[in-house]
Amino acid sequence: MRTNAPAPEAPSTRNLKSASASQRQPLSITIGRYSALILWVGFTVLFGILRPDTFLTSVTWRLTISEGVVTAVVALAFLIPLVAGVYDLSVGATMGTGLVLMNWVGINHPGVPLWLAALGVLLACAFVGLCSSIIIVRFRVDSLIATLGVSQVLLAFQLFMSENRQMTGAFDDGWLDLGTRQVMGVPIVALYLLVLALLLWFVLEHTPVGRHLRAVGSNPEAARLAGLGVERLITGSLMCSAMVGGLAGIIFSMKVGTYSSSIGPGLLFPALAAVFFGASQFARRPNVWGTLIAYFALAFGVKGLQLTFGPGTFWIQPLFQGATLLIAVAMASRVVGQTRRSRRLQKDAEQGTATPTGS
Amino acid sequence: MNALDIRGLSKTFSGHVVLHGVDLTVRRGEVHALVGQNGSGKSTLIKVLAGYHAPDAGATAQVLGRELTLGSAAAADRLNIRFVHQDLGLANDLTLTENIMLGRRYPRRAGIAIDWPKARRIAHECISRTGPAIDVNRTVAEFGIAERTRIAIARALPDNDDPALIVLDEPTAALPAQDVEKLFDTIRGLTAAGNAVLLVSHHLDEILGVSDTVTVLRDGARVATVPTAEVDKHSLTELIIGRALSRDVERAPRAVDDSRPIATIEGLSGTSLLDIDIDLRPGEIVGIAGLTGSGREEVAALVTGRTHRDGGTVRIGSRSVPSGDPRAALAAGMAWIVGERARYAVFPAMDLRSNITIGDVGRHQRGGRLRHHDERAEARDWIHELGIVASGTDADIATLSGGNQQKALVARALRLKPAVLVLDDPTAGIDIGARQQVHGIIAGRADESMAVLITSTDSEELARLCDRVLVLARGRVVAELARGVDLDAATIDHTQVSGVPA
Ligand SMILES: Nc1ncnc2c1ncn2[C@@H]1O[C@H](COP(=O)(O)OP(=O)(O)OP(=O)(O)O)[C@@H](O)[C@H]1O
Ligand SMILES: [Mg+2]
């Protein structure tokens, strides 16, 4: 027989005290967490006053939203592996690849049903994701470099398939209708985006897989020691990311149809900006709704500026997106608040006690 | 004039008062110990001093009579307050000289090329201020943990000859007794040269051995500052936890047990571990002792699969656990608390409940959906059972004090109800009251026939908990001490130093 050490009284009072402590946070941080939403409202008010006749019309809203859907899908593609701490810079190129493949099938094999082509595109993209993950996981190449390389290979593939020309006229009206129709006044592509976002949100926030991905992103070594299949999770996230990238290409083929080699790479920056800005929102980590709200806040800002200053202002978009990203992320980061506060304290102290006391 | 005078220091995190009008006076040339339970605010006080957190309004501080702006890292640095963090923050691949020079300006020849001979001389001077000279050309990875601690201190020392205040937050949490002695020689050398040292530790014997004055924090308030000579272990414990510690109940010797082992480890070998065999029977607690370099520090990593074995087999029941595969080890019924918490175990930026449930969140899943409510309920049970101090189940793990993070790891391992539990310094950073509680829980689980393998730098811990202790030296088992026969802390210490059975 052995005896245990008696269980000491649980320090329940201490727990109660801390548990009852309110969860209040400094106002600046709270505002920072909702800055994208505030920005969106702010733009609506501002441009609503400046250009009430054009900005506040439902046409403008519909247009801005449907124009943004493809980029927002690319942003979600980037988000998935980012949760696990893996950068997939090939999402733009995957989108382009999906688009070129759809066009190629549409032009060269008009007999093949387009839904079948779309399925094939998704499978091909999954394979691309698998290749990236092998490079990253097996050969231990840094994900930034690996996916940067993969994106160039994909670009080469696109140029080869398209013979470096624009591709148009591949799709029938039935297919294009799937991308341009409206359902109860809402562009149908917005609904596609919504369904995808709901699905990803559910998986990332409400399933064990999502939790495991976050753990890998937080501390890969600890994740391995906690028994998670780190390599499998990374592989899976990259395959999903590539498939969502391909899906963006498919949606683009429904909406616009035309392929040109500049389309995919051009989406990368706005997509990344949305994800990083979005990661400073809400729970302050990469998240689905933050990404979407950040993206559309910026998109509406750009739209408002274009409407206000006219069509000569094509340079506004990158300037605006770059600047907003920098400001928003810097505002939300804790470091800024910290240094500001300590600088202020220091100043106070220097003014208050100019002469050293004591001897 | 004192080395440090803090008056009325308060710190509130989101409405939660962590420090409550604390006064602290460190005199020149003294070793001042700061003690208190987990979450009592020691690290927070130090982080305010270091400028990492800004204090609430109303706090003042002076260093040698000069005003110090709390919450400013630059101000602390200017006034020669230097910090050595628990993970030491050394670059292991660089040489000692390069590490010392990291925080300094390299001497130059003609303003361009680095003057290496001079840099080495500076490094040599710095390291000499902390004890006997060591080779400044070797890389840090080649040194043991004791020397590395010295290098970190040497790097922190200011260049000028003004007296400095050196702050050490739990420098001995994972240091074996011999290395602790060396560290204390260094500390005494520093104070003899006119510097002051502020030291945080949960090891009361060490506090009593090295410090001149002790300040006790409880729930963020200072409850006492007393000369060390006026307290003993018993009264200090009472000051810390506010009541007398219930007496440890000794484990009784195990009856002779010839049941089949649940786990057999044969020929286990690694870098410094040569060839050891360990059998674990259900309900048995087996300890592994040994100085740094004896191979002790490798055992847990090799058994759990954190690192690949150079040889040997690990079996649990009839299942063989492959080398370097923690997933397979878990599946075979093993669970563990690994050492080096921050590096191998904690998921920063994730909440407390995820950190507890990570090994098996699937338990709270129904129909593919995670039941956050169930998960929070389980986390609350653990918070209650282990007395984890946190603002709630969804508090970011990084806002928990070190000891409370460690308790979360205890919960993470125990909830898996393993057949074999492997512990590597399981109570590192856990306060004296909670340590007893964790020991009680581990012993209780062993009584429910879990087998436990503990490697620890704390001989008292091994002597109190284990049924058997294997003492390692130079990679081999040199002695096996059994409860009720020859197992006690003094024998463990003696055997691991001499390398032969007593
Ligand atoms: N950034 C933070 N945000 C909110 N609460 C915090 C933060 N940092 C610390 N705390 C809380 O402050 C309290 C004191 O923590 P601190 O780290 O100072 O304890 P400690 O005395 O060092 O304990 P230990 O011995 O376990 O290291 C804890 O309850 C902790 O949860
Ligand atoms: Mg601490």
Side-chain angles (χ1 to χ4, degrees), chain A residues 2 4 15 22 24 206 208 211 218 224 227 232 338 357, chain B residues 14 52 62 65 219 251 306 327 348 365 370 372 375 388 447:
Chain A
R2 275 176 285 161
N4 302 336
N15 281 331
S22 66
R24 259 185 302 121
H206 297 288
R211 180 68 63 78
S218 166
R224 189 176 82 89
R232 249 191 305 169
Q338 195 81 43
T357 47
Chain B
S14 332
Y52 182 80
Q62 290 183 7
D219 286 345
R251 272 165 77 78
R306 195 188 90 207
R327 203 175 158 77
Q365 160 196 288
L370 214 57
H372 297 280
E375 192 191 17
I388 300 175
D447 289 340

PDB file of all heavy atoms in Angstrom, chain A residues 2 4 15 22 24 206 208 211 218 224 227 232 338 357, chain B residues 14 52 62 65 219 251 306 327 348 365 370 372 375 388 447:
ATOM      1  N   ARG A   2       0.485   2.173  -0.813  1.00  0.00           N
ATOM      2  CA  ARG A   2       1.189   3.443  -0.797  1.00  0.00           C
ATOM      3  C   ARG A   2       0.199   4.553  -0.501  1.00  0.00           C
ATOM      4  O   ARG A   2      -0.982   4.429  -0.789  1.00  0.00           O
ATOM      5  CB  ARG A   2       1.848   3.699  -2.147  1.00  0.00           C
ATOM      6  CG  ARG A   2       3.185   3.038  -2.249  1.00  0.00           C
ATOM      7  CD  ARG A   2       3.750   3.240  -3.609  1.00  0.00           C
ATOM      8  NE  ARG A   2       3.074   2.386  -4.584  1.00  0.00           N
ATOM      9  CZ  ARG A   2       3.117   2.603  -5.869  1.00  0.00           C
ATOM     10  NH1 ARG A   2       3.723   3.661  -6.330  1.00  0.00           N
ATOM     11  NH2 ARG A   2       2.534   1.797  -6.708  1.00  0.00           N
ATOM     12  N   ASN A   4      -0.772   8.628  -1.023  1.00  0.00           N
ATOM     13  CA  ASN A   4      -0.484   9.785  -1.857  1.00  0.00           C
ATOM     14  C   ASN A   4      -0.232  10.991  -0.987  1.00  0.00           C
ATOM     15  O   ASN A   4      -0.700  11.073   0.135  1.00  0.00           O
ATOM     16  CB  ASN A   4      -1.691  10.132  -2.737  1.00  0.00           C
ATOM     17  CG  ASN A   4      -2.069   8.976  -3.594  1.00  0.00           C
ATOM     18  OD1 ASN A   4      -1.236   8.122  -3.870  1.00  0.00           O
ATOM     19  ND2 ASN A   4      -3.326   8.934  -3.976  1.00  0.00           N
ATOM     20  N   ASN A  15      -8.393  31.777  -8.289  1.00  0.00           N
ATOM     21  CA  ASN A  15      -8.985  31.580  -9.606  1.00  0.00           C
ATOM     22  C   ASN A  15     -10.194  32.476  -9.809  1.00  0.00           C
ATOM     23  O   ASN A  15     -10.375  33.073 -10.844  1.00  0.00           O
ATOM     24  CB  ASN A  15      -9.423  30.134  -9.788  1.00  0.00           C
ATOM     25  CG  ASN A  15      -8.231  29.266 -10.114  1.00  0.00           C
ATOM     26  OD1 ASN A  15      -7.283  29.767 -10.702  1.00  0.00           O
ATOM     27  ND2 ASN A  15      -8.274  28.019  -9.727  1.00  0.00           N
ATOM     28  N   SER A  22     -12.380  41.591 -15.485  1.00  0.00           N
ATOM     29  CA  SER A  22     -13.040  41.829 -16.764  1.00  0.00           C
ATOM     30  C   SER A  22     -12.042  41.689 -17.907  1.00  0.00           C
ATOM     31  O   SER A  22     -10.837  41.792 -17.730  1.00  0.00           O
ATOM     32  CB  SER A  22     -13.629  43.225 -16.779  1.00  0.00           C
ATOM     33  OG  SER A  22     -12.572  44.156 -16.744  1.00  0.00           O
ATOM     34  N   ARG A  24     -11.646  43.635 -20.335  1.00  0.00           N
ATOM     35  CA  ARG A  24     -11.492  44.919 -21.012  1.00  0.00           C
ATOM     36  C   ARG A  24     -10.116  45.061 -21.629  1.00  0.00           C
ATOM     37  O   ARG A  24      -9.120  44.626 -21.086  1.00  0.00           O
ATOM     38  CB  ARG A  24     -11.736  46.063 -20.029  1.00  0.00           C
ATOM     39  CG  ARG A  24     -13.120  46.665 -20.160  1.00  0.00           C
ATOM     40  CD  ARG A  24     -13.239  47.863 -19.245  1.00  0.00           C
ATOM     41  NE  ARG A  24     -12.987  47.512 -17.870  1.00  0.00           N
ATOM     42  CZ  ARG A  24     -12.012  48.059 -17.140  1.00  0.00           C
ATOM     43  NH1 ARG A  24     -11.211  48.964 -17.670  1.00  0.00           N
ATOM     44  NH2 ARG A  24     -11.838  47.713 -15.880  1.00  0.00           N
ATOM     45  N   HIS A 206     -13.864  25.464 -36.530  1.00  0.00           N
ATOM     46  CA  HIS A 206     -14.744  24.548 -35.794  1.00  0.00           C
ATOM     47  C   HIS A 206     -14.477  23.074 -36.026  1.00  0.00           C
ATOM     48  O   HIS A 206     -15.345  22.250 -35.779  1.00  0.00           O
ATOM     49  CB  HIS A 206     -16.209  24.864 -36.114  1.00  0.00           C
ATOM     50  CG  HIS A 206     -16.611  26.234 -35.671  1.00  0.00           C
ATOM     51  ND1 HIS A 206     -16.785  26.558 -34.349  1.00  0.00           N
ATOM     52  CD2 HIS A 206     -16.812  27.369 -36.362  1.00  0.00           C
ATOM     53  CE1 HIS A 206     -17.107  27.838 -34.251  1.00  0.00           C
ATOM     54  NE2 HIS A 206     -17.126  28.355 -35.454  1.00  0.00           N
ATOM     55  N   PRO A 208     -11.285  19.857 -35.711  1.00  0.00           N
ATOM     56  CA  PRO A 208      -9.931  19.539 -35.238  1.00  0.00           C
ATOM     57  C   PRO A 208      -8.862  19.875 -36.283  1.00  0.00           C
ATOM     58  O   PRO A 208      -7.786  20.340 -35.920  1.00  0.00           O
ATOM     59  CB  PRO A 208      -9.994  18.030 -34.991  1.00  0.00           C
ATOM     60  CG  PRO A 208     -11.411  17.764 -34.662  1.00  0.00           C
ATOM     61  CD  PRO A 208     -12.199  18.711 -35.510  1.00  0.00           C
ATOM     62  N   ARG A 211      -7.857  23.413 -35.972  1.00  0.00           N
ATOM     63  CA  ARG A 211      -7.066  23.598 -34.764  1.00  0.00           C
ATOM     64  C   ARG A 211      -5.644  23.103 -34.980  1.00  0.00           C
ATOM     65  O   ARG A 211      -4.667  23.750 -34.597  1.00  0.00           O
ATOM     66  CB  ARG A 211      -7.739  22.835 -33.628  1.00  0.00           C
ATOM     67  CG  ARG A 211      -7.067  22.900 -32.300  1.00  0.00           C
ATOM     68  CD  ARG A 211      -7.122  24.281 -31.694  1.00  0.00           C
ATOM     69  NE  ARG A 211      -8.468  24.741 -31.417  1.00  0.00           N
ATOM     70  CZ  ARG A 211      -9.198  24.349 -30.371  1.00  0.00           C
ATOM     71  NH1 ARG A 211      -8.712  23.477 -29.521  1.00  0.00           N
ATOM     72  NH2 ARG A 211     -10.407  24.837 -30.178  1.00  0.00           N
ATOM     73  N   SER A 218       1.713  27.794 -35.189  1.00  0.00           N
ATOM     74  CA  SER A 218       2.188  28.424 -33.953  1.00  0.00           C
ATOM     75  C   SER A 218       3.551  27.898 -33.535  1.00  0.00           C
ATOM     76  O   SER A 218       4.421  28.658 -33.128  1.00  0.00           O
ATOM     77  CB  SER A 218       1.159  28.186 -32.845  1.00  0.00           C
ATOM     78  OG  SER A 218       1.678  28.487 -31.585  1.00  0.00           O
ATOM     79  N   ARG A 224       4.686  18.570 -33.713  1.00  0.00           N
ATOM     80  CA  ARG A 224       5.171  17.217 -33.985  1.00  0.00           C
ATOM     81  C   ARG A 224       5.196  16.411 -32.686  1.00  0.00           C
ATOM     82  O   ARG A 224       4.777  15.257 -32.642  1.00  0.00           O
ATOM     83  CB  ARG A 224       6.587  17.292 -34.575  1.00  0.00           C
ATOM     84  CG  ARG A 224       7.120  15.969 -35.087  1.00  0.00           C
ATOM     85  CD  ARG A 224       8.478  16.155 -35.738  1.00  0.00           C
ATOM     86  NE  ARG A 224       9.545  16.181 -34.765  1.00  0.00           N
ATOM     87  CZ  ARG A 224      10.199  15.097 -34.337  1.00  0.00           C
ATOM     88  NH1 ARG A 224       9.886  13.922 -34.828  1.00  0.00           N
ATOM     89  NH2 ARG A 224      11.158  15.194 -33.447  1.00  0.00           N
ATOM     90  N   GLY A 227       2.077  14.978 -31.413  1.00  0.00           N
ATOM     91  CA  GLY A 227       1.544  13.852 -32.164  1.00  0.00           C
ATOM     92  C   GLY A 227       0.773  14.236 -33.406  1.00  0.00           C
ATOM     93  O   GLY A 227       0.090  13.402 -33.996  1.00  0.00           O
ATOM     94  N   ARG A 232       1.616  15.898 -43.127  1.00  0.00           N
ATOM     95  CA  ARG A 232       0.343  15.672 -43.799  1.00  0.00           C
ATOM     96  C   ARG A 232      -0.522  16.935 -43.786  1.00  0.00           C
ATOM     97  O   ARG A 232      -1.183  17.266 -44.761  1.00  0.00           O
ATOM     98  CB  ARG A 232      -0.401  14.521 -43.128  1.00  0.00           C
ATOM     99  CG  ARG A 232      -0.474  13.303 -44.033  1.00  0.00           C
ATOM    100  CD  ARG A 232      -1.417  12.293 -43.486  1.00  0.00           C
ATOM    101  NE  ARG A 232      -1.051  11.946 -42.100  1.00  0.00           N
ATOM    102  CZ  ARG A 232      -1.840  11.229 -41.315  1.00  0.00           C
ATOM    103  NH1 ARG A 232      -3.018  10.833 -41.736  1.00  0.00           N
ATOM    104  NH2 ARG A 232      -1.456  10.909 -40.105  1.00  0.00           N
ATOM    105  N   GLN A 338       3.185  50.133 -27.730  1.00  0.00           N
ATOM    106  CA  GLN A 338       4.166  50.002 -26.667  1.00  0.00           C
ATOM    107  C   GLN A 338       5.196  51.125 -26.716  1.00  0.00           C
ATOM    108  O   GLN A 338       5.446  51.790 -25.725  1.00  0.00           O
ATOM    109  CB  GLN A 338       4.870  48.659 -26.844  1.00  0.00           C
ATOM    110  CG  GLN A 338       5.643  48.214 -25.641  1.00  0.00           C
ATOM    111  CD  GLN A 338       4.738  47.584 -24.619  1.00  0.00           C
ATOM    112  OE1 GLN A 338       3.867  46.815 -24.966  1.00  0.00           O
ATOM    113  NE2 GLN A 338       4.920  47.920 -23.371  1.00  0.00           N
ATOM    114  N   THR A 357      17.538  63.284  -7.899  1.00  0.00           N
ATOM    115  CA  THR A 357      17.396  63.475  -6.459  1.00  0.00           C
ATOM    116  C   THR A 357      18.458  62.688  -5.719  1.00  0.00           C
ATOM    117  O   THR A 357      19.163  61.871  -6.301  1.00  0.00           O
ATOM    118  CB  THR A 357      16.013  62.998  -6.003  1.00  0.00           C
ATOM    119  OG1 THR A 357      15.783  61.725  -6.601  1.00  0.00           O
ATOM    120  CG2 THR A 357      14.937  63.960  -6.419  1.00  0.00           C
TER     121      THR A 357
ATOM    122  N   SER B  14      -5.591  44.435 -18.514  1.00  0.00           N
ATOM    123  CA  SER B  14      -7.020  44.337 -18.837  1.00  0.00           C
ATOM    124  C   SER B  14      -7.865  44.228 -17.575  1.00  0.00           C
ATOM    125  O   SER B  14      -8.654  43.318 -17.427  1.00  0.00           O
ATOM    126  CB  SER B  14      -7.311  43.122 -19.706  1.00  0.00           C
ATOM    127  OG  SER B  14      -6.218  42.769 -20.486  1.00  0.00           O
ATOM    128  N   TYR B  52       9.787  46.247 -20.798  1.00  0.00           N
ATOM    129  CA  TYR B  52       8.932  45.490 -21.722  1.00  0.00           C
ATOM    130  C   TYR B  52       7.462  45.845 -21.494  1.00  0.00           C
ATOM    131  O   TYR B  52       6.685  45.924 -22.432  1.00  0.00           O
ATOM    132  CB  TYR B  52       9.174  43.993 -21.516  1.00  0.00           C
ATOM    133  CG  TYR B  52       8.386  43.114 -22.441  1.00  0.00           C
ATOM    134  CD1 TYR B  52       8.814  42.908 -23.755  1.00  0.00           C
ATOM    135  CD2 TYR B  52       7.209  42.510 -22.016  1.00  0.00           C
ATOM    136  CE1 TYR B  52       8.092  42.125 -24.613  1.00  0.00           C
ATOM    137  CE2 TYR B  52       6.479  41.712 -22.875  1.00  0.00           C
ATOM    138  CZ  TYR B  52       6.923  41.521 -24.168  1.00  0.00           C
ATOM    139  OH  TYR B  52       6.193  40.736 -25.019  1.00  0.00           O
ATOM    140  N   GLN B  62      14.476  54.540  -8.496  1.00  0.00           N
ATOM    141  CA  GLN B  62      15.789  55.179  -8.519  1.00  0.00           C
ATOM    142  C   GLN B  62      16.870  54.116  -8.557  1.00  0.00           C
ATOM    143  O   GLN B  62      16.731  53.061  -7.942  1.00  0.00           O
ATOM    144  CB  GLN B  62      15.997  56.026  -7.266  1.00  0.00           C
ATOM    145  CG  GLN B  62      15.135  57.250  -7.243  1.00  0.00           C
ATOM    146  CD  GLN B  62      15.417  58.098  -6.026  1.00  0.00           C
ATOM    147  OE1 GLN B  62      16.348  57.827  -5.256  1.00  0.00           O
ATOM    148  NE2 GLN B  62      14.619  59.131  -5.848  1.00  0.00           N
ATOM    149  N   GLY B  65      20.458  56.487  -6.694  1.00  0.00           N
ATOM    150  CA  GLY B  65      20.061  57.866  -6.487  1.00  0.00           C
ATOM    151  C   GLY B  65      19.627  58.590  -7.747  1.00  0.00           C
ATOM    152  O   GLY B  65      19.131  59.705  -7.691  1.00  0.00           O
ATOM    153  N   ASP B 219       0.262  37.144  -4.588  1.00  0.00           N
ATOM    154  CA  ASP B 219      -0.841  37.753  -5.356  1.00  0.00           C
ATOM    155  C   ASP B 219      -0.541  39.193  -5.737  1.00  0.00           C
ATOM    156  O   ASP B 219      -1.408  40.057  -5.670  1.00  0.00           O
ATOM    157  CB  ASP B 219      -2.139  37.705  -4.544  1.00  0.00           C
ATOM    158  CG  ASP B 219      -2.705  36.302  -4.503  1.00  0.00           C
ATOM    159  OD1 ASP B 219      -2.256  35.470  -5.328  1.00  0.00           O
ATOM    160  OD2 ASP B 219      -3.567  36.034  -3.662  1.00  0.00           O
ATOM    161  N   ARG B 251       6.137   8.084  -0.021  1.00  0.00           N
ATOM    162  CA  ARG B 251       5.646   6.874  -0.667  1.00  0.00           C
ATOM    163  C   ARG B 251       6.214   5.669   0.074  1.00  0.00           C
ATOM    164  O   ARG B 251       7.382   5.656   0.420  1.00  0.00           O
ATOM    165  CB  ARG B 251       6.132   6.828  -2.105  1.00  0.00           C
ATOM    166  CG  ARG B 251       5.222   7.514  -3.091  1.00  0.00           C
ATOM    167  CD  ARG B 251       5.947   7.738  -4.406  1.00  0.00           C
ATOM    168  NE  ARG B 251       6.060   6.520  -5.210  1.00  0.00           N
ATOM    169  CZ  ARG B 251       5.077   6.027  -5.922  1.00  0.00           C
ATOM    170  NH1 ARG B 251       3.896   6.584  -5.895  1.00  0.00           N
ATOM    171  NH2 ARG B 251       5.249   4.955  -6.655  1.00  0.00           N
ATOM    172  N   ARG B 306      11.505  12.517 -29.803  1.00  0.00           N
ATOM    173  CA  ARG B 306      11.823  13.881 -30.212  1.00  0.00           C
ATOM    174  C   ARG B 306      13.094  13.870 -31.058  1.00  0.00           C
ATOM    175  O   ARG B 306      13.212  14.589 -32.037  1.00  0.00           O
ATOM    176  CB  ARG B 306      12.030  14.768 -28.980  1.00  0.00           C
ATOM    177  CG  ARG B 306      12.001  16.242 -29.325  1.00  0.00           C
ATOM    178  CD  ARG B 306      12.389  17.092 -28.138  1.00  0.00           C
ATOM    179  NE  ARG B 306      13.810  17.319 -28.125  1.00  0.00           N
ATOM    180  CZ  ARG B 306      14.505  17.554 -27.030  1.00  0.00           C
ATOM    181  NH1 ARG B 306      13.908  17.571 -25.861  1.00  0.00           N
ATOM    182  NH2 ARG B 306      15.798  17.756 -27.099  1.00  0.00           N
ATOM    183  N   ARG B 327       4.473  10.471 -32.876  1.00  0.00           N
ATOM    184  CA  ARG B 327       3.102  10.076 -33.156  1.00  0.00           C
ATOM    185  C   ARG B 327       2.879   8.599 -32.825  1.00  0.00           C
ATOM    186  O   ARG B 327       1.898   8.235 -32.187  1.00  0.00           O
ATOM    187  CB  ARG B 327       2.857  10.339 -34.644  1.00  0.00           C
ATOM    188  CG  ARG B 327       1.447  10.519 -35.052  1.00  0.00           C
ATOM    189  CD  ARG B 327       1.451  10.902 -36.537  1.00  0.00           C
ATOM    190  NE  ARG B 327       0.177  10.599 -37.143  1.00  0.00           N
ATOM    191  CZ  ARG B 327      -0.904  11.345 -36.979  1.00  0.00           C
ATOM    192  NH1 ARG B 327      -0.838  12.439 -36.234  1.00  0.00           N
ATOM    193  NH2 ARG B 327      -2.030  11.020 -37.543  1.00  0.00           N
ATOM    194  N   PRO B 348       2.447  29.358 -28.699  1.00  0.00           N
ATOM    195  CA  PRO B 348       2.186  30.760 -28.425  1.00  0.00           C
ATOM    196  C   PRO B 348       1.062  31.266 -29.325  1.00  0.00           C
ATOM    197  O   PRO B 348       0.819  30.701 -30.397  1.00  0.00           O
ATOM    198  CB  PRO B 348       3.517  31.445 -28.773  1.00  0.00           C
ATOM    199  CG  PRO B 348       4.207  30.514 -29.699  1.00  0.00           C
ATOM    200  CD  PRO B 348       3.754  29.130 -29.336  1.00  0.00           C
ATOM    201  N   GLN B 365     -15.251  16.422 -30.441  1.00  0.00           N
ATOM    202  CA  GLN B 365     -15.847  16.602 -31.750  1.00  0.00           C
ATOM    203  C   GLN B 365     -17.056  15.683 -31.864  1.00  0.00           C
ATOM    204  O   GLN B 365     -17.022  14.534 -31.455  1.00  0.00           O
ATOM    205  CB  GLN B 365     -14.788  16.247 -32.782  1.00  0.00           C
ATOM    206  CG  GLN B 365     -15.343  15.920 -34.155  1.00  0.00           C
ATOM    207  CD  GLN B 365     -14.305  15.224 -34.985  1.00  0.00           C
ATOM    208  OE1 GLN B 365     -13.346  15.827 -35.423  1.00  0.00           O
ATOM    209  NE2 GLN B 365     -14.476  13.935 -35.195  1.00  0.00           N
ATOM    210  N   LEU B 370     -16.358  20.722 -33.771  1.00  0.00           N
ATOM    211  CA  LEU B 370     -15.747  20.865 -32.465  1.00  0.00           C
ATOM    212  C   LEU B 370     -16.740  21.512 -31.508  1.00  0.00           C
ATOM    213  O   LEU B 370     -17.295  22.565 -31.793  1.00  0.00           O
ATOM    214  CB  LEU B 370     -14.535  21.783 -32.619  1.00  0.00           C
ATOM    215  CG  LEU B 370     -13.315  21.537 -31.757  1.00  0.00           C
ATOM    216  CD1 LEU B 370     -12.806  20.129 -31.946  1.00  0.00           C
ATOM    217  CD2 LEU B 370     -12.228  22.520 -32.144  1.00  0.00           C
ATOM    218  N   HIS B 372     -16.991  23.589 -28.710  1.00  0.00           N
ATOM    219  CA  HIS B 372     -16.153  24.477 -27.898  1.00  0.00           C
ATOM    220  C   HIS B 372     -16.608  24.482 -26.446  1.00  0.00           C
ATOM    221  O   HIS B 372     -15.817  24.617 -25.525  1.00  0.00           O
ATOM    222  CB  HIS B 372     -16.196  25.889 -28.467  1.00  0.00           C
ATOM    223  CG  HIS B 372     -15.638  25.986 -29.847  1.00  0.00           C
ATOM    224  ND1 HIS B 372     -14.290  26.047 -30.097  1.00  0.00           N
ATOM    225  CD2 HIS B 372     -16.241  25.986 -31.050  1.00  0.00           C
ATOM    226  CE1 HIS B 372     -14.087  26.105 -31.405  1.00  0.00           C
ATOM    227  NE2 HIS B 372     -15.258  26.060 -32.003  1.00  0.00           N
ATOM    228  N   GLU B 375     -15.215  21.571 -24.653  1.00  0.00           N
ATOM    229  CA  GLU B 375     -13.779  21.732 -24.508  1.00  0.00           C
ATOM    230  C   GLU B 375     -13.477  22.707 -23.370  1.00  0.00           C
ATOM    231  O   GLU B 375     -12.591  22.472 -22.552  1.00  0.00           O
ATOM    232  CB  GLU B 375     -13.194  22.242 -25.825  1.00  0.00           C
ATOM    233  CG  GLU B 375     -11.692  22.171 -25.871  1.00  0.00           C
ATOM    234  CD  GLU B 375     -11.108  22.914 -27.053  1.00  0.00           C
ATOM    235  OE1 GLU B 375     -11.832  23.741 -27.653  1.00  0.00           O
ATOM    236  OE2 GLU B 375      -9.942  22.680 -27.371  1.00  0.00           O
ATOM    237  N   ILE B 388      -4.490  26.276 -11.876  1.00  0.00           N
ATOM    238  CA  ILE B 388      -3.853  27.134 -12.876  1.00  0.00           C
ATOM    239  C   ILE B 388      -4.423  28.544 -12.748  1.00  0.00           C
ATOM    240  O   ILE B 388      -5.635  28.721 -12.736  1.00  0.00           O
ATOM    241  CB  ILE B 388      -4.122  26.597 -14.303  1.00  0.00           C
ATOM    242  CG1 ILE B 388      -3.558  25.177 -14.442  1.00  0.00           C
ATOM    243  CG2 ILE B 388      -3.520  27.526 -15.350  1.00  0.00           C
ATOM    244  CD1 ILE B 388      -3.884  24.514 -15.769  1.00  0.00           C
ATOM    245  N   ASP B 447      -0.537   5.050  -8.822  1.00  0.00           N
ATOM    246  CA  ASP B 447      -1.290   4.060  -8.047  1.00  0.00           C
ATOM    247  C   ASP B 447      -2.417   3.450  -8.860  1.00  0.00           C
ATOM    248  O   ASP B 447      -2.870   2.343  -8.588  1.00  0.00           O
ATOM    249  CB  ASP B 447      -1.853   4.706  -6.778  1.00  0.00           C
ATOM    250  CG  ASP B 447      -0.740   4.995  -5.787  1.00  0.00           C
ATOM    251  OD1 ASP B 447       0.321   4.360  -5.920  1.00  0.00           O
ATOM    252  OD2 ASP B 447      -0.933   5.848  -4.914  1.00  0.00           O
TER     253      ASP B 447
END
